[in-house]
Amino acid sequence: MKKRIYTHGIFRLVLFVGCFFVIYAFAQHLYLLLASVLVIAIVFALSLKRHNKLSEQKESAELLSLIAENELKGFLHDFSAFDGAPEKIDPHHPFSFDLDLFGEKSVFQQVNRTVLPLGKEMLADIFQSPLTSKDCIEERQEAVKELAKKEEFCLLFRVAGLKASRDDREEGNFPPVLYGRDGADLRDDKKSIGHLFWKLAVWIVPFSYLIFVILWLVGIVPGNLFFHLYFLTLVLSLIPIKKARSIGLLFDKKSKTLNAYAGLLKLLEQEKPEAPSLKSLRKKLACKAKRASDVVEELAHYTRSLDVGFTLAMLILNPVFLWTTRYALKIENWMKTYGGDIKTWFSVLAEMDALISLGTFAINHPDYAYPEIADSYCFRGEGLGHPLISREKCVKNDIDISRKPFFMIITGANMAGKSTYLRTIGVNHLLASVGLPACANKMRFYPGRLLTNLRTSDSLVNSESYFFAELKRLKMIIDRLEAGEAGIFIILDEILKGTNSEDKQKGSLALMKRLVRLGGNGIIATHDLALGNLEDEFPQEIGNWHFDARIQEDTLTFTYRLQEGIAQNMNASFLMRKMGITE
């Protein structure tokens, strides 16, 4: 494409130079000269148009190549090219902080392929507020499955979106009027330019010039009267210039960005989805007798024309056509007509952008399984792994919670895999709840709210100790259970880490009993083997599993395999001695 663009450039240069030879050769033949110059001008314009089209195709090819390079890095678990939304990290969220949902090397960074700022926000909302309804999850799954089969459409959307977002960044923040405001400012009489006088003036002024030319040609009025007419209309055009400028600033040099967004809308309009949720999205683009893409292109044309009115061309265009007033009126009328629809259209683009990220995740993980959504409480899975661990290193385990209340108590040595297993369960529960395939051979679960306490942190700003922060977290879980919130799945790692061993054991036992009485479900990892004795007291509500560590020939090895029963081997003393901390 670069070669073709270069060839067209050389061709136009030859045309330009050839034009001088034509002028020299046909200087004595006026009509032949005009005809030749006209032909050269037309060919030059066509070549320039072709050049612009090739440049656009080249830009698309470069972006497609960039996408491919980034996806290849992603297969090697290098997600640095994608935005992990570190600004979304929130230690107070029910689960996102504990599951490393946001930030570098996070689940969100692995999934995120959004190309629009609004799409990224929508995708973050999807993960922060997962679905809890069986019908909604199955509907989302259907949409993801369909998009996973339409890889070309997903790539075209991403390329067009990258163009739009890049132009957006180059030209500054996109006008807030397109991010939710409905044109109310333009309906304010003090800021509006839409007075009847100006609506009539934009037609009367050009017509007066036409009348003047006709009268001058027939000899009724002298030619010098033109300067009086020009001065009068120039002054007239300057009266509303401030209001026209304020309208222009809303879309200052945004015509290219608007055209890119129109291209995204056109892609959606041309697509014929089958999934109900995708059909519903497409229906939202319906707009009276016009297509949404045509309406946005119309606005792009108006803004481009208004920008021209603030260049040197205004000395001709404004007095003769009231150019800036004319196009400010058109934009104002456009906002009054379509201002209420634009928020919906951009919301559709944002949702599709987020869904394409989900569809791309499914494309990239054909070995993952779509979970079956159960009608009654259960969480069963075979071969569950963590998506952030490479396939070569990932050791997969099962889960089987088929009654309520029920808690799995996980014991085991340090570094044996307890915390990784908790996060594996939590992340797959989340993937299933947003409609994605899970990193599992098979999975069936009942949707509900996920509550975790894996990584509590203290707060110097709030004068809050580590222990108190953990108690607040546990209180939140108890309150939600007492409120009767259905389907809660709890994941806790090492309860009451901030207190002494005896107090910790008493508190942990009391908490477990309370959680069982409140009908809770979930997984708890602990080093306190005494919690395993609760299985004797609650044989139907509590089960013991462990991760084993073996010391053979002064070497510590791990299987990372979940096994039934309470752990028998611990390794803290061995590790301290091995590292030279103790003797």
Side-chain angles (χ1 to χ4, degrees), residues 99-149:
L99 299 183
D100 300 309
L101 181 54
F102 297 109
E104 291 301 308
K105 299 181 181 179
S106 65
V107 175
F108 185 83
Q109 189 178 35
Q110 185 182 24
V111 176
N112 183 23
R113 299 296 185 274
T114 57
V115 288
L116 306 175
L118 284 175
K120 174 187 163 184
E121 291 297 319
M122 179 71 73
L123 185 63
D125 288 343
I126 285 174
F127 275 97
Q128 288 175 311
S129 305
L131 303 170
T132 56
S133 160
K134 176 182 178 179
D135 292 340
C136 292
I137 293 174
E138 289 179 339
E139 193 173 276
R140 175 78 60 71
Q141 284 182 348
E142 197 173 340
V144 172
K145 288 176 182 177
E146 180 173 335
L147 289 172
K149 294 175 183 176

Side-chain angles (χ1 to χ4, degrees), residues 478-536:
I478 294 295
D479 287 345
R480 292 179 70 166
L481 284 172
E482 286 183 332
E485 196 169 325
I488 290 178
F489 190 79
I490 301 164
I491 303 178
L492 306 178
D493 190 5
E494 203 60 53
I495 308 168
L496 305 178
K497 294 184 280 286
T499 187
N500 64 73
S501 299
E502 185 179 348
D503 203 23
K504 173 178 182 292
Q505 188 177 101
K506 282 183 181 179
S508 298
L509 289 168
L511 176 65
M512 284 301 306
K513 292 177 181 179
R514 183 84 185 276
L515 291 174
V516 169
R517 284 197 298 271
L518 289 172
N521 273 69
I523 311 175
I524 294 174
T526 182
H527 286 99
D528 191 346
L529 303 183
L531 286 184
N533 297 328
L534 287 170
E535 186 177 17
D536 298 331

Side-chain angles (χ1 to χ4, degrees), residues 366-377:
D367 53 333
Y368 285 15
Y370 286 92
E372 181 186 347
I373 316 302
D375 293 313
S376 58
Y377 196 88

